[in-house]
Amino acid sequence: MDIVYSSDDNYARHVGISITSLYDHNQNAENLNVYLIDDGIGETNRAKLDAVAQKYGRTIHYIPFEPHKKKLTLNNKWELPISTYARLFVEEMLPKTVERLIYLDCDTVVTDSLSALWDTDLQGNT
């Protein structure tokens, strides 16, 4: 399973809770890859996130968002963090080996295994 999040330092605590719930409810998932699009997560929060991953024997793959920000021209009337728009570039940012993924908002709490969702036949649809 390939899971993608996007966060900045302000939402690092939220994404940490979400990742903890993901790991906790998917402990039997053999291949669980978490990619975190990083929009300036500080060293302290990154260390806390890495500690969560290590507790479950996992690794978080950080992907810098900075190179992709230049592509955005926003007239943002809502006060959304710019990292919200990172999902627009996810195909460019992830390794080519990722063929399918689940994108989770950083404030999502996972309450069960995602294996049924992951195994759903999308019949060629996105």
Side-chain angles (χ1 to χ4, degrees):
M1 260 190 288
D2 293 308
I3 309 295
V4 179
Y5 288 96
S6 178
S7 183
D8 61 15
D9 201 50
N10 295 316
Y11 283 87
R13 173 180 278 181
H14 304 287
V15 79
I17 292 167
S18 184
I19 290 172
T20 300
S21 68
L22 170 72
Y23 287 153
D24 195 50
H25 292 285
N26 290 275
Q27 293 185 43
N28 294 330
E30 191 172 314
N31 294 315
L32 179 59
N33 302 303
V34 172
Y35 298 93
L36 177 53
I37 300 169
D38 177 359
D39 187 26
I41 297 174
E43 289 181 33
T44 300
N45 282 328
R46 189 184 273 230
K48 290 176 183 178
L49 293 169
D50 288 339
V52 168
Q54 289 171 1
K55 176 182 173 187
Y56 289 92
R58 308 283 186 175
T59 302
I60 297 173
H61 307 280
Y62 296 91
I63 301 168
F65 183 45
E66 191 62 39
H68 301 278
K69 281 184 176 182
K70 300 175 226 165
K71 299 175 186 176
L72 289 172
T73 310
L74 299 174
N75 183 8
N76 193 353
K77 295 179 184 175
W78 309 283
E79 296 194 19
L80 294 173
I82 198 162
S83 61
T84 303
Y85 298 95
R87 67 187 88 176
L88 298 173
F89 306 102
V90 73
E91 185 179 0
E92 296 174 29
M93 290 189 253
L94 294 178
K96 299 299 179 206
T97 55
V98 175
E99 295 180 6
R100 182 177 180 160
L101 61 91
I102 296 174
Y103 180 91
L104 295 176
D105 282 334
C106 63
D107 59 356
T108 302
V109 175
V110 178
T111 61
D112 204 351
S113 171
L114 296 182
S115 61
L117 176 61
W118 182 256
D119 293 335
T120 299
D121 182 0
L122 298 177
Q123 300 175 347
N125 295 304
T126 301

